[in-house]
């Protein structure tokens, strides 16, 4: 969620939590550039009864360009996710969000990249714009599959999944058994990147970034495996 002195875009779910987060963000803007992390119990202090807690990362910054490209959601803050965020951030042409399951797993991110900590990432899929580009690079094959399923049901501009041709063949069978049509399944690109560059996280990120920024490769994140 991006907050300015007189408005905001995006959401963290609405309600008292979002109101308080926006208030804190505007206070940060008034006080000067800063970064902080706050944990909010989802209880009486926020007028909620669902229990648990949520941790929000606040990062002040300046918007130097208006987004001209679809939002990019990177599912997983590991080596590849971190590398991709660092490769894509300097273009400053899109909103970039990195999602991971705990604050401990969230890596240091470039200025302007939004961290989103979600214990259950599937619950935040609905927050993504249906035009967004998605890269799935989590630590878990089971979570990778669940995200493919959820994004196919939600809709996306493009979607890339890290993995081998063998992994993708297995996922395609599983997704078909979940009721997805082959024409939709094949919209997910797997493997991602340029295999000629190698398997180093930075090399994978460079290959993915090249596909994302190429005017001739709109919504083409990587080679699709038949």
């Amino acid at each position: 969620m991006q907050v300015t002195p007189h408005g905001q875009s995006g959401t963290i779910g609405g309600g008292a939590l979002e109101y308080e987060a926006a208030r804190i963000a505007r206070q940060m803007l008034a006080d000067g550039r800063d970064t902080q992390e706050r944990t909010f119990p989802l209880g009486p202090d926020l007028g909620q009864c669902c229990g648990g807690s949520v941790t929000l990362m606040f990062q002040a910054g300046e918007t130097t360009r208006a987004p001209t490209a679809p939002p990019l959601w990177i599912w997983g803050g590991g080596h590849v996710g971190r590398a991709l965020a660092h490769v894509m951030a300097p273009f400053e042409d899109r909103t970039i969000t990195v999602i991971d399951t705990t604050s401990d797993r969230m890596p240091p991110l470039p200025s302007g990249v939004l961290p989103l900590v979600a214990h259950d990432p599937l619950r935040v899929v609905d927050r993504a714009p249906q035009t967004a580009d998605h890269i799935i690079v989590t630590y878990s094959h089971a979570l990778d599959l669940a995200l493919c399923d959820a994004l196919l049901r939600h809709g996306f501009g493009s979607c890339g999944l890290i993995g081998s041709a063998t992994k993708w063949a297995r996922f395609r069978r599983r997704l078909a058994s979940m009721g997805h049509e082959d024409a939709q399944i094949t919209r997910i690109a797997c493997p991602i990147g340029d295999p000629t560059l190698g398997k180093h996280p930075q090399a994978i990120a460079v290959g993915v970034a090249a596909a994302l920024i190429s005017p001739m490769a709109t919504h083409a994140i990587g080679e699709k495996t038949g």
Side-chain angles (χ1 to χ4, degrees):
M1 183 173 72
Q2 294 179 318
V3 178
T4 65
H6 306 293
Q8 68 186 64
S9 61
T11 180
I12 57 171
L17 175 64
E18 182 166 306
Y19 178 85
E20 179 65 5
R23 185 194 67 78
I24 293 170
R26 290 193 177 95
Q27 188 61 54
M28 288 176 58
L29 291 173
D31 294 342
R33 298 173 64 88
D34 197 5
T35 298
Q36 64 172 303
E37 182 177 290
R38 294 279 296 273
T39 297
F40 300 86
L42 301 178
D45 288 348
L46 286 175
Q48 297 182 344
C49 59
C50 54
S53 64
V54 62
T55 299
L56 301 179
M57 176 68 74
F58 295 82
Q59 180 173 318
E62 297 180 356
T63 301
T64 57
R65 301 180 188 175
T68 57
L72 174 61
W73 283 51
I74 303 171
W75 299 88
H79 296 306
V80 176
R82 179 171 65 249
L84 182 58
H86 280 271
V87 170
M88 292 298 299
F91 291 100
E92 298 181 330
D93 63 346
R94 68 178 77 214
T95 300
I96 302 173
T97 304
V98 176
I99 308 96
D100 218 319
T101 54
T102 67
S103 57
D104 291 342
R105 296 186 65 88
M106 187 64 67
L109 296 172
S111 175
V113 176
L114 308 176
L116 176 55
V117 176
H119 177 69
D120 181 1
L122 300 178
R123 298 184 64 178
V124 300
V125 168
D126 286 345
R127 300 186 194 176
Q130 291 185 317
T131 57
D133 296 319
H134 297 267
I135 303 294
I136 302 173
V137 287
T138 82
Y139 61 90
S140 163
H141 281 205
L143 181 55
D144 287 352
L145 178 63
L147 285 168
C148 287
D149 174 48
L151 288 169
L152 283 168
R153 298 181 191 281
H154 175 66
F156 53 79
S158 71
C159 182
L161 168 68
I162 195 167
S164 64
T166 300
K167 173 183 175 179
W168 182 229
R170 184 169 66 253
F171 272 36
R172 288 187 65 165
R173 291 193 296 269
R174 292 289 303 279
L175 291 169
S177 72
M178 294 174 179
H180 298 290
E181 299 291 336
D182 187 64
Q184 291 302 310
I185 295 172
T186 55
R187 292 190 61 216
I188 298 175
C190 181
I192 55 174
D194 182 347
T196 66
L197 298 177
K199 296 183 178 181
H200 189 282
Q202 198 73 21
I204 296 172
V206 168
V208 172
L212 285 169
I213 67 176
S214 171
M216 300 301 293
T218 302
H219 296 153
I221 291 174
E223 293 293 330
K224 294 183 175 67
T225 301

